[in-house]
Each structure stands twice: as C-alpha cells, then as structure tokens.
Amino acid sequence: MRQNIGIYIHIPFCISKCYYCNFISYTNKEKLIEKYIDAVCLEILQNAEILSEYNISTIYFGGGTPSYIDAKYIKKIMNTLSLFKKEDDFLEVTIEVNPNSITLEKLILYKNFGINRISIGVQSTHDDILKAIGRKHKLVDVTNTLKYCKEAGFNNISIDLIYPLPNLNFEKFSNTLDYIINIKDEYNIKHISVYNLEVHEGSKLGFLLNEGYLELVDEDTEYQMKELLEEKLEKNGFNKYEISNFSITGFESKHNTSYWNQEMYLGFGVCSSSFFSNTRYKNTDDIEKYIEYINSNISPVESRECLDLLELMKEYIILKLRLTKGFSTLEFKKFGKDIFDIFGNELKELSENGLIKIEKDDNKIITDTDCYNISLTKRGSEIANIVWEKFI
C-alpha cells in the first residue's frame, strides 16, 4: 500500500512587500515568472521516481502571492502534478490568495484545475490597519473575494488574521472577529488561522515601531485579545485544533496537519522545504540560482539535515504538542521506544509545572506502561516555546 505525501509549491512573486513580511518573496521580477514556473515543473519531473511511488494527498500553493500570477501558470503546475495522480489523490488542494489580486475568472479557473480550498490573506478588516502594515487591499476587496469564491463554487474557505497590529485595539479586534463570524455561513468560511505578529529585524514594520511611528498594544491587552479570540471562535463553532488554527469540525487543514504529524512532504520552488526519508532539506533562496540549477539538472538544495532517531523523537513531540489533542504514548511507540524511558524527566517536570497534561481515560495521571495522552495545558500553550526548549 502506497504512503501519502504532501506537496508544497512556492510562488514567490508579489505586487509589493508587506511591512511585516519575512518570507522569501520578490517584487519587480515579473520577467522571471514564466522561467520560474517552467523550472518548478521541471523540478517536479526531476522527482518523478518519488512521486510515482507515493499518493499525493495534499497540494498547497503558498507565497509570496500565488494569486498574483496568471492562472495559466497554476494550471501548468497542476497539469504536471497530475501526471502522478492516482485514485483518491489530491484530497485537498489549497491556494493562497490576496484580496487585491484575485478575480472571479481566476477562481473559476482554479476550480477547474482541481483546487478545492481557498486561503484568503485578510489579516484585518480595518482599512487604516491594513494601510499601516503595507497591505494593498481594503475591506471591500475582502467582501468581493468572498462573493467571488461563493460564485465560483468553493465551499472550503480559510481566513488568515494577525494580531496585535498597529492601530489595532481591543474593540477593533472584537469587531474583526464579529465580522468573520457573522458571514461564515454565507461564504463557507470553515477555517481561521490567527497568528501572533512577529516583528523581524530589518523589516519596515520593525523600523516604524522602533522609531515610534507606529505602536502596538501592551501585553495585557494582547492577552485579552487572545482570550476573546478563543472564546468567540469556539462559541461559534470553530474548534481550536492547533496553537494558531481553528476550524469547523472536519475542515482542519489536511496539508498543515501532515506537517504536525511528521508526515513526508516535498517542496518545489525557491526556498521550499522538504521532509523525506528522515531528512529535512531546503532549496536555495536565490531565484536566479534556482532557475539556473534546475535547468542545468543541478540540485537546488542548499541545506540538508538527516535526523537521527533521537532528533526524530524530539521533533515528533514538539510538532504533536502543537495540536490541541496532543498525542498518545501508543503512537510514540512507532519509534520502538517507550517515551518515558527517553523523556521521563522532562515530562515529569513539565507536568509538575502545569504545562502539559498526562492523562488516561479517567483523566488521572498514570505511571506504568498503559496508554497515556499527552497534551499542552492552557498555560502550556501560552508559553509553548518553554515547552519546546525541553526537547531541543
């Protein structure tokens, strides 16, 4: 029986760079789009041996702004991947879109290509906040995008939000959540990702904050936003299934969940990452080099790490603890080890400090070789980095 594998496609082109962005993306490189897409398709073909042996369960077009480029390029990549499609493949095919670069015509084409999930980069529903972070869309564009998605026949829509943001106070954040909740049924919003803002050194947002041109709310207000977020979304049918992700039951992101389950995936394109055969590797960040390497049949991989058994076990714990449900000690035995023989001291300390739960069906801590479930507590999820450090 074939194993599943996920596919990530990086589309690095943008109309402009958002002030907070730290991803590999490019502006003013439109002349490279066609050459780049050809290189991505060629890279896929260069991995034909692997792709022929696995079921492609999920495909994810990320960026950059995948919706910025002509839909014919998305079609070319989908057609190339379809050469390796088996029965029941392509269960979830997601494309990220920005409200200022999507049209009804593009969405109809995406549907025809086999894309069945749309992820919309909303970030905020307030025009002044969007302007402050360098976004090029307005709320009216978000509304139009949702209307287009509905008209094109998409019934699995994901929304991305970010907090805290400049000019964002508690009331505005509450209004944003209410806006999404009030239209979720009308526009088939099944999934919401809400990310904490990361201010990266050297970013335009970092400069504006450091120089006092913009400011963020204090930590207490940010915490109140987080509490409000979880309360409102869970009250309205969105279950928190991962640290930053909420969904209607059955509409969890299959692609991202495969990452957290430490399943295999291949990344194609500049700066894309892969995990295959216990090895993590990443392509070059340089788009010109990437195109040159692929066309010369030279591997574009510039970093590679083969994980030994201990590293795999540590990473497994970190990834699985991102999920609200955590993981069972029975699952961990796939490594041929008992988790308490390897990490007993770390788990005991984290449990005693109230950062993880170690539970059986009766919710009591147990100490022998029976099956446990291990997950983060509410406090543990708030300071998850401290938990991760125990396994790094």
Side-chain angles (χ1 to χ4, degrees), residues 97 104 107 111 116-120 122 125 139-159 178-192 238 248 251:
V97 307
L104 174 59
L107 286 163
K111 195 80 161 53
N116 55 26
R117 184 173 183 269
I118 303 294
S119 177
I120 306 173
V122 175
T125 58
L139 178 58
V140 64
D141 301 312
V142 174
T143 305
N144 287 336
T145 298
L146 289 166
K147 289 178 181 177
Y148 297 154
C149 287
K150 182 177 181 179
E151 191 171 342
F154 286 99
N155 61 5
N156 189 356
I157 305 299
S158 180
I159 296 290
D178 289 340
Y179 173 84
I180 301 298
I181 288 166
N182 289 337
I183 62 173
K184 68 181 179 67
D185 294 330
E186 181 179 1
Y187 294 116
N188 297 307
I189 299 171
K190 308 294 189 182
H191 189 279
I192 302 176
F238 289 94
I248 303 298
F251 288 89

Side-chain angles (χ1 to χ4, degrees), residues 4-94:
N4 288 340
I5 196 166
I7 301 295
Y8 174 78
I9 307 291
H10 191 61
I11 307 296
F13 304 100
C14 290
I15 189 171
S16 63
K17 193 92 168 175
C18 299
Y19 297 168
Y20 57 85
C21 182
N22 194 44
F23 295 113
I24 297 300
S25 60
Y26 306 98
T27 59
N28 302 315
K29 286 190 179 286
E30 286 79 7
K31 65 181 181 179
L32 291 178
I33 291 176
E34 186 166 4
K35 291 180 180 178
Y36 178 79
I37 298 301
D38 286 344
V40 169
C41 292
L42 183 54
E43 186 186 11
I44 292 170
L45 295 174
Q46 289 169 351
N47 284 268
E49 184 175 352
I50 294 174
L51 293 174
S52 297
E53 295 178 357
Y54 291 85
N55 291 324
I56 300 174
S57 56
T58 63
I59 301 169
Y60 194 101
F61 288 88
T65 310
S67 58
Y68 176 56
I69 65 174
D70 195 297
K72 69 181 181 181
Y73 297 121
I74 304 299
K75 179 181 181 181
K76 187 167 189 176
I77 294 172
M78 286 295 293
N79 285 346
T80 305
L81 288 170
S82 292
L83 296 173
F84 307 98
K85 185 178 181 181
K86 295 92 177 171
E87 188 177 357
D88 297 327
D89 271 9
F90 298 14
L91 297 177
E92 180 188 87
V93 185
T94 302

Side-chain angles (χ1 to χ4, degrees), residues 133-359:
I133 59 175
R135 300 289 289 181
K136 295 302 181 183
H137 71 269
K138 296 182 178 180
L139 178 58
V140 64
D141 301 312
V142 174
T143 305
N144 287 336
T145 298
L146 289 166
K147 289 178 181 177
Y148 297 154
C149 287
K150 182 177 181 179
E151 191 171 342
F154 286 99
N155 61 5
N156 189 356
I157 305 299
S158 180
I159 296 290
D160 280 5
L161 300 174
I162 300 177
Y163 82 103
L165 290 170
N167 299 332
L168 179 65
N169 56 29
F170 184 84
E171 182 181 2
K172 283 185 173 181
F173 187 61
S174 180
N175 290 341
T176 290
L177 296 175
D178 289 340
Y179 173 84
I180 301 298
I181 288 166
N182 289 337
I183 62 173
K184 68 181 179 67
D185 294 330
E186 181 179 1
Y187 294 116
N188 297 307
I189 299 171
K190 308 294 189 182
H191 189 279
I192 302 176
S193 298
V194 190
Y195 300 107
N196 272 102
L197 175 69
E198 294 184 9
V199 181
H200 299 281
E201 185 177 349
S203 67
K204 186 169 184 178
L205 181 59
F207 170 81
L208 293 172
L209 290 170
N210 289 335
E211 296 299 318
Y213 294 106
L214 297 173
E215 62 180 24
L216 304 175
V217 294
D218 57 41
E219 290 184 3
D220 288 342
T221 304
E222 181 180 343
Y223 183 79
Q224 291 170 4
M225 288 177 174
K226 179 181 182 298
E227 293 286 288
L228 180 72
L229 162 71
E230 298 190 3
E231 177 187 340
K232 276 183 177 285
L233 292 187
E234 294 186 13
K235 183 180 178 181
N236 287 277
F238 289 94
N239 301 311
K240 183 179 181 181
Y241 71 99
E242 192 269 344
I243 284 179
S244 301
N245 289 275
F246 302 75
S247 78
I248 303 298
T249 300
F251 288 89
E252 299 82 0
S253 169
K254 292 180 175 64
H255 184 82
N256 289 339
T257 298
S258 72
Y259 294 159
W260 302 318
N261 285 334
Q262 205 181 44
E263 297 171 8
M264 292 182 293
Y265 59 91
L266 295 181
F268 297 109
V270 67
C271 195
S272 62
S273 296
S274 303
F275 177 61
F276 183 76
S277 192
N278 296 339
T279 301
R280 293 203 177 277
Y281 49 96
K282 187 172 81 70
N283 286 349
T284 175
D285 293 351
D286 187 311
I287 189 170
E288 282 89 357
K289 280 186 179 180
Y290 169 78
I291 295 171
E292 178 187 348
Y293 288 161
I294 294 297
N295 289 332
S296 303
N297 202 27
I298 298 171
S299 171
V301 174
E302 289 204 339
S303 64
R304 186 184 301 271
E305 179 186 13
C306 184
L307 279 65
D308 62 27
L309 181 60
L310 181 60
E311 289 168 331
L312 285 168
M313 291 189 293
K314 288 180 177 180
E315 183 185 79
Y316 178 85
I317 294 171
I318 291 172
L319 291 172
K320 293 290 276 190
L321 283 178
R322 292 188 64 92
L323 298 172
T324 302
K325 68 179 182 180
F327 66 97
S328 77
T329 54
L330 185 61
E331 294 171 1
F332 187 85
K333 287 186 177 179
K334 71 175 186 174
F335 295 108
K337 303 287 183 181
D338 186 300
I339 191 170
F340 295 103
D341 290 341
I342 311 297
F343 301 109
N345 291 336
E346 291 87 347
L347 295 172
K348 180 181 178 183
E349 180 183 347
L350 290 169
S351 177
E352 290 176 347
N353 289 331
L355 301 181
I356 63 169
K357 296 177 287 187
I358 306 175
E359 299 175 319

